[in-house]
Amino acid sequence: MNFEELKAKDKQYIANTYARFDVWIQSGKNAACRDESGKEYIDFGSGIGVNVLGYCNPGWVEAVTKQLSALQHTSNLYYTEPAVALAEKLCKATGYRKVFFANSGAEANEGMIKAARKYSFDRYGEGRSTIISLQNSFHGRTVTTLSATGQDHYHEFFFPFTGGFVFAPMNDIEALKASADETTCAVMVELIQGEGGVMAADVEFIQQVRKFCDERDLLLLIDEVQTGVGHTGHFLASEAFGVKGDITSLAKGLGGGLPIGAVLLSEKTESVLSYGDHGSTFGANPVVCAGANYVVDQILQKGFLEEVQKKGLYIRDKLSQLEAVEELSGLGLMIGILPKEKKAGELANECLKQGLLILTAKNKLRMLPPLTISYEEIDRGLAVLESVLK
Ligand SMILES: Cc1ncc(COP(=O)(O)O)c(C=O)c1O
């Protein structure tokens, strides 16, 4: 099949929900991938923050294939070792107490929302279930996570949406407090709004939210689907903000390229979900967990996250010298680039032609490269970006 035939069949047989870039990716190694003609691209997007160890990391491939040959799946009615090992690792790395495994970011957030509402129901009974979410947030594509998303255009067509979400502006603690009432049970935040344009919350604001939650026994729900698992140079971005959530959701990078979501439950919330309250056929799949164990082991190795921070600073330093860059945002290797004049979408398409895959978010270019990207790969990608920005 040639590329034109592939595109035609894609259009014919796959629901047309994605505006794809004009490229057919066939293989990859670390931060570089190839199309059907053999042309190489540096990938600054890592499949939207997923391939944290790059394409086809040999250790990860070995961990996954070894598990695949032993046991590909069994139901959650039985014990398996990879999920237990992963849960233990995540708890020890983050200070959370228990993990519920799901298959995606939206599912992890669904679990987080359910756990928050159940916590409140168990303590206070009915009528205390409203969650304050932030304007401009993004929490997923299921009906409930769309409802939790603070952007109006996600609240079209799919009525009726799940009730019980109100929205407060980021970085305005008084407005957030004013949006709380006796029905409120939780506050849900992204510490850096990824899809919303790589917009970091102020540390002080997040700490004030934490304090407010403690005063009212509201749960702080932190969506670390995009910020978690190393991209900010910390295992959890919350470490950089000096707070711990009552529940945190993870997904994307955790599996290193296989679908996983995780709900991290703290001391306060660890016992909220009990038999029958929640479940998932594929959640805690042994192959996916074997890959995730490898990812977490690598990221927690001494010096790994410091190296992520150094690479982040290196990239920021180079980008900040470019005349065509108006502003940089984000943390570590989660980077937003506001171009001075040109449109982000047009720039991303031009980058593609010149051999660079880069993401956009609102009016910005967005980088979420693999954490293992080499300096040589960074320089090659930045050279393209620089010439396109000019
Ligand atoms: C912060 C955040 N939450 C949730 C999601 C949804 O994750 P998924 O697409 O895996 O359902 C995303 C995806 O971009 C995200 O960035």
Side-chain angles (χ1 to χ4, degrees):
M1 198 184 310
N2 67 32
F3 190 21
E4 291 312 312
E5 287 163 348
L6 182 84
K7 281 196 276 190
K9 281 193 190 288
D10 181 295
K11 195 167 170 41
Q12 186 176 355
Y13 292 114
I14 295 185
N16 297 165
T17 61
Y18 302 104
R20 300 194 205 282
F21 283 94
D22 198 28
V23 60
W24 176 4
I25 298 177
Q26 291 198 336
S27 63
K29 199 167 170 236
N30 205 33
C33 59
R34 286 183 191 277
D35 69 12
E36 79 291 354
S37 72
K39 178 177 167 185
E40 194 170 82
Y41 301 79
I42 296 297
D43 186 355
F44 276 176
S46 68
I48 319 192
V50 167
N51 296 336
V52 285
L53 303 181
Y55 288 104
C56 303
N57 176 289
W60 180 84
V61 170
E62 194 190 333
V64 167
T65 48
K66 194 167 159 216
Q67 181 58 44
L68 196 52
S69 319
L71 180 80
Q72 87 277 28
H73 172 79
T74 180
S75 77
N76 277 305
L77 300 176
Y78 311 110
Y79 294 96
T80 57
E81 202 262 339
V84 175
L86 178 60
E88 182 180 10
K89 245 170 242 174
L90 288 172
C91 288
K92 288 189 169 157
T94 61
Y96 283 86
R97 297 282 282 257
K98 281 192 173 52
V99 182
F100 175 85
F101 287 115
N103 311 288
S104 67
E107 270 190 50
N109 285 338
E110 288 271 347
M112 180 156 77
I113 291 163
K114 281 178 75 174
R117 287 184 168 171
K118 175 98 182 343
Y119 170 88
S120 191
F121 180 86
D122 289 348
R123 284 206 156 189
Y124 303 99
E126 273 183 54
R128 191 178 180 278
S129 56
T130 304
I131 295 174
I132 301 172
S133 181
L134 297 185
Q135 290 169 5
N136 194 47
S137 58
F138 181 79
H139 296 297
R141 299 279 191 162
T142 60
V143 171
T144 295
T145 54
L146 281 177
S147 306
T149 290
Q151 301 184 54
D152 287 345
H153 70 99
Y154 287 111
H155 300 161
E156 294 172 335
F157 316 129
F158 309 113
F159 307 103
F161 284 94
T162 306
F165 292 95
V166 296
F167 299 95
M170 188 161 79
N171 297 335
D172 184 344
I173 189 64
E174 292 313 321
L176 186 134
K177 285 182 179 175
S179 67
D181 60 21
E182 68 289 350
T183 70
T184 310
C185 72
V187 178
M188 183 165 173
V189 300
E190 285 166 277
L191 300 171
I192 304 171
Q193 295 180 332
E195 302 305 308
V198 199
M199 307 292 285
D202 293 342
V203 170
E204 195 193 355
F205 169 72
I206 293 298
Q207 293 185 350
Q208 287 168 330
V209 173
R210 175 69 276 177
K211 190 160 168 277
F212 180 61
C213 286
D214 290 340
E215 287 162 8
R216 298 274 193 107
D217 194 21
L218 308 177
L219 297 184
L220 177 58
L221 315 179
I222 307 187
D223 178 347
E224 293 236 27
V225 166
Q226 191 159 146
T227 55
V229 200
H231 254 113
T232 64
H234 304 268
F235 191 77
L236 296 181
S238 58
E239 295 160 29
F241 285 74
V243 294
K244 191 174 160 214
D246 297 301
I247 313 177
T248 279
S249 58
L250 297 177
K252 286 193 184 286
L254 181 57
L258 289 172
I260 189 169
V263 185
L264 308 183
L265 300 154
S266 66
E267 226 162 282
K268 206 169 184 177
T269 52
E270 66 173 320
S271 306
V272 166
L273 297 175
S274 54
Y275 297 119
D277 285 338
H278 201 35
S280 163
T281 297
F282 287 114
N285 171 275
V287 176
V288 174
C289 287
N293 271 303
Y294 187 81
V295 167
V296 174
D297 285 343
Q298 295 307 299
I299 293 180
L300 294 179
Q301 269 187 11
K302 204 167 176 301
F304 186 98
L305 287 167
E306 285 77 5
E307 195 51 37
V308 171
Q309 291 176 13
K310 273 192 210 153
K311 288 176 199 171
L313 291 174
Y314 177 81
I315 294 170
R316 279 162 206 280
D317 181 48
K318 296 249 163 169
L319 289 174
S320 63
Q321 293 170 29
L322 301 183
E323 184 57 28
V325 171
E326 177 76 36
E327 190 188 279
L328 297 173
S329 61
L331 186 65
L333 285 175
M334 181 176 182
I335 302 174
I337 306 164
L338 182 64
K340 249 188 200 137
E341 283 162 19
K342 297 184 184 169
K343 291 220 157 55
E346 288 165 15
L347 288 166
N349 275 311
E350 195 48 45
C351 284
L352 178 78
K353 285 187 200 146
Q354 298 194 28
L356 174 68
L357 306 185
I358 191 161
L359 304 165
T360 61
K362 297 270 167 91
N363 56 350
K364 289 182 184 168
L365 290 167
R366 175 170 49 143
M367 291 179 60
L368 283 168
L371 309 181
T372 52
I373 190 168
S374 68
Y375 283 94
E376 190 262 332
E377 289 167 329
I378 290 174
D379 286 342
R380 276 171 63 198
L382 286 181
V384 174
L385 191 53
E386 187 177 347
S387 91
V388 168
L389 278 164
K390 267 184 191 158

